[in-house]
Amino acid sequence: MADSDEPMVVDGGYGGTCEWQGRWNHVKKLLERAGPFTHPDFEPSTESLQFLLETCKILVIGAGGLGCELLKGLAFSGFCNIHVVDMDIIDVSNLNRQFLFRTKDVGRPKADVAADFINSRIPGCRVVPHFKKIQDLDEIFYKQFHIIVCGLDSVVARRWMNGMLLSLLVYKDGVLDPGSIIPLIDGGTEGFKGNARVILPGMSACIDCTLELYPPQINFPMCTIASMPRLPEHCIEYVRVLLWPKVRPFGDSVVLDGDDPEHIQWVHQRSLERAAEFNITGVTYRLTQGVVKRIIPAVASTNAVIAAACATEVFKIASSAFIPLNNYMVFNDVDGLYTYTFEAERKENCSACSQVPLDLFFSSSSKLQKVLDYLIESASLQMKSPAITTTIDGKNKTLYLQSVASIEQRTRPNLSKTLKELGLTEGQELAVADITTPQTMLFRLCFTS
């Protein structure tokens, strides 16, 4: 590593070279000298910066409002090996806050454009884009990273990522191997509120341990949507849930796509007609898109604050220079400025990280539908489309599976059968798969009288 008074040579984003004195002085001040806030075990050295520049590998999940800020913050903090995963393409509505994108980029993948922008503007930084769903990447891919930081707007995606890192943990004689832990830094924003958290899988509270902290997705009662709409959102939901499947305006096999302007325009027009029928005002194109895509309101300043907090935690963990956040920080600037940090506690019976089957309490006369409803509606589980299987007399039996039409049709009668009629007994283990996690979760039936 060059001394501070010598020029530093780094590779440019497109293969050129760039050198100037003091490029990383702002980082060296944190890594090469002690201070009142440094970690008690921290020893200042030049090797920490070398590790950040050459070795440390960071994965950023999401290249949207938080993701753009995260990429910028990490690149300016000395992280040169970064991968970014995002499945979305750039929309005009993104341009007001996702500053790595321009009008000419509309229609292109966010991950590709974000990577190109950072690589071209920050010499030496190598951002590798992945225009994919996180579910399309396997364990081998995720194992290569030292730290993973999420800038997601989906609780389902967060839970899946949480489950993936938990599945990578290695236990030796029941003891967790620290070398198998990949820290997860998670950020989230909604309007002028946000949060940042540090998760050490297998050691601290995971996403599922604190699932109750995430607000459930708003679903309007079907009777209100169909018969007595009172809000513009009710009119839009009527078109989305009831009218689209009935009319199929773009063909029988075409699913409503929130990113397709023609689809949104059709929903918007039908929603206006529905609203006029009930003398409801307020249906706009933007609101229509927001309801269809379940868009969470975003504010650029909140994204910047939360992304900065997350990037700081990545730096602290990668360098071991400072004590990481322990482990949950909330931010609110709706009225004034408020921030608060607390330690979310790990749940002993967490369905994701406890390593033990979760007890399900039902009577033997309860129907399977009741079990399914519990898995979906429980605040601590919040599954989306659980598939339930078990083992009876040494043979695997699918009790219910929704995602495959032929199997759903065949197993649907089981929902109206009691647990006893299905041959289930006290202590029976149920294996449940869901899109919220890459792992199959185990539950144990406990019959109540």
Side-chain angles (χ1 to χ4, degrees), residues 43-62:
E43 294 183 5
S45 73
T46 59
E47 296 178 0
S48 294
L49 178 59
Q50 199 73 18
F51 172 74
L52 300 189
L53 294 173
E54 298 180 359
T55 307
C56 190
K57 215 167 186 178
I58 307 296
L59 174 63
V60 175
I61 307 289

Side-chain angles (χ1 to χ4, degrees), residues 16 30 45 66 112 172 180 186 256 286 310 327 331 351 371 378 381 414 447:
L30 301 174
S45 73
L66 277 172
D112 293 350
K172 297 178 180 178
S180 65
D186 179 60
L256 176 57
R286 185 164 186 169
C310 290
N327 51 33
F331 171 83
S351 59
V371 176
S378 168
L381 296 174
N414 288 340
F447 284 158

Side-chain angles (χ1 to χ4, degrees), residues 134-135 142 156-164 435-438:
I134 55 174
Q135 294 87 348
Y142 291 110
V156 172
R158 281 188 177 90
R159 295 178 66 187
W160 192 93
M161 197 66 246
N162 178 72
M164 170 55 73
I435 59 173
T436 56
T437 175

Side-chain angles (χ1 to χ4, degrees), residues 347-362:
K347 286 175 62 175
E348 292 183 2
N349 63 340
C350 174
S351 59
C353 70
S354 65
Q355 300 292 306
V356 295
L358 190 66
D359 289 339
L360 290 176
F361 294 93
F362 290 95

